[in-house]
Amino acid sequence: MVVLVTGSAKGIGKATCERFLKEGHTVIGLDLLPSQINHPCYTHYLCDVSKKKTLPSLEGINIIINNAGKQNDHDIENNLVGAINVTEKYAFQPEIKSVLFNASASAHSGFEFPEYVASKAGLIGYMKNVAVRLSSLGATVNSISLGGVLTDSNAPVLENEKCWNEIMAATPLKKWATLEEVCDWIYFLTIVNKSASGQDVLIDNGEYNLNSTFVWPKR
């Protein structure tokens, strides 16, 4: 499979690229930042997904993973408009098999920064629209809504004992997801899954359904 991953330079995007390469797939990454991945089956493009004109010409994409996003920094343009640009450019062609969007548990709870919540909630709505339009091509289209994930971008709370204790008090399973766990979900929904489409999968260690909250250091 030819897999396109946005936001591929670090965090979830980088881990996703490495997982698909490990499984023998060809991977193309799009990011504003250069990549640290050195693999014969990996190609990296420097581009801004929020700007259509910067997207490279690519053909034969089988899987699209819309992961690129920012928090509290032009969230709607990066998180929502960028995903729309990428999907509309690369998904609607006969080779497409699956599209996945990285939404957020915040899209369900409403907790977090205003534009971030709006952008991620918009992704879920757009995902359903794409699922309907791609159904004639037999492609599955879904999203994942992650709660806390152990990444460098969450260092402000991971390294703040008070914040971390508050988060764990509100998290029923008393843990956050690892990058490996997230990649398992991404791989399952895009490669293994053949029947679920138009679904948003909430992956937050029970926080939203059992005790929704949002903790972040005060600015």
Side-chain angles (χ1 to χ4, degrees), residues 4 6-7 12-13 15 22 24 39 43 48 56 64 76 84-85 91 107-108 133 143 159 164 189 200 203:
L4 178 65
T6 68
I12 293 172
K22 180 181 178 181
H39 192 285
T43 304
D48 182 348
I64 299 173
I76 292 176
I84 292 173
N85 289 343
H108 295 261
R133 291 192 288 145
S143 59
E159 297 172 1
W164 183 248
L189 287 168
D200 178 71
I203 306 164

Side-chain angles (χ1 to χ4, degrees), residues 57-196:
S57 295
L58 303 171
E59 296 182 354
I61 302 298
N62 302 123
I63 295 171
I64 299 173
I65 299 166
N66 283 295
N67 168 72
K70 292 187 177 180
Q71 187 181 60
N72 208 25
D73 181 16
H74 302 291
D75 301 42
I76 292 176
E77 290 84 358
N78 288 296
N79 304 350
L80 179 55
V81 175
I84 292 173
N85 289 343
V86 168
T87 303
E88 296 298 325
K89 185 174 180 68
Y90 303 119
F92 293 88
Q93 41 81 21
E95 301 302 316
I96 194 68
K97 302 298 182 187
S98 184
V99 180
L100 186 72
F101 297 87
N102 186 358
S104 172
S106 298
H108 295 261
S109 69
F111 287 104
E112 211 159 334
F113 310 111
E115 282 200 14
Y116 183 79
V117 170
S119 68
K120 295 298 189 176
L123 273 182
I124 296 175
Y126 176 65
M127 174 272 291
K128 292 178 181 293
N129 174 269
V130 175
V132 172
R133 291 192 288 145
L134 281 182
S135 61
S136 62
L137 293 176
T140 62
V141 182
N142 297 289
S143 59
I144 53 174
S145 282
L146 300 169
V149 182
L150 299 174
T151 65
D152 292 341
S153 63
N154 283 318
V157 291
L158 293 173
E159 297 172 1
N160 184 314
E161 185 177 1
K162 181 177 182 296
C163 288
W164 183 248
N165 288 339
E166 288 181 31
I167 290 169
M168 286 298 98
T171 305
L173 291 182
K174 305 305 177 190
K175 60 180 279 295
W176 269 11
T178 64
L179 286 174
E180 182 179 4
E181 288 179 83
V182 174
C183 290
D184 285 343
W185 278 103
I186 292 172
Y187 195 83
F188 172 78
L189 287 168
T190 57
I191 296 292
V192 181
N193 167 52
K194 297 296 188 296
S195 298

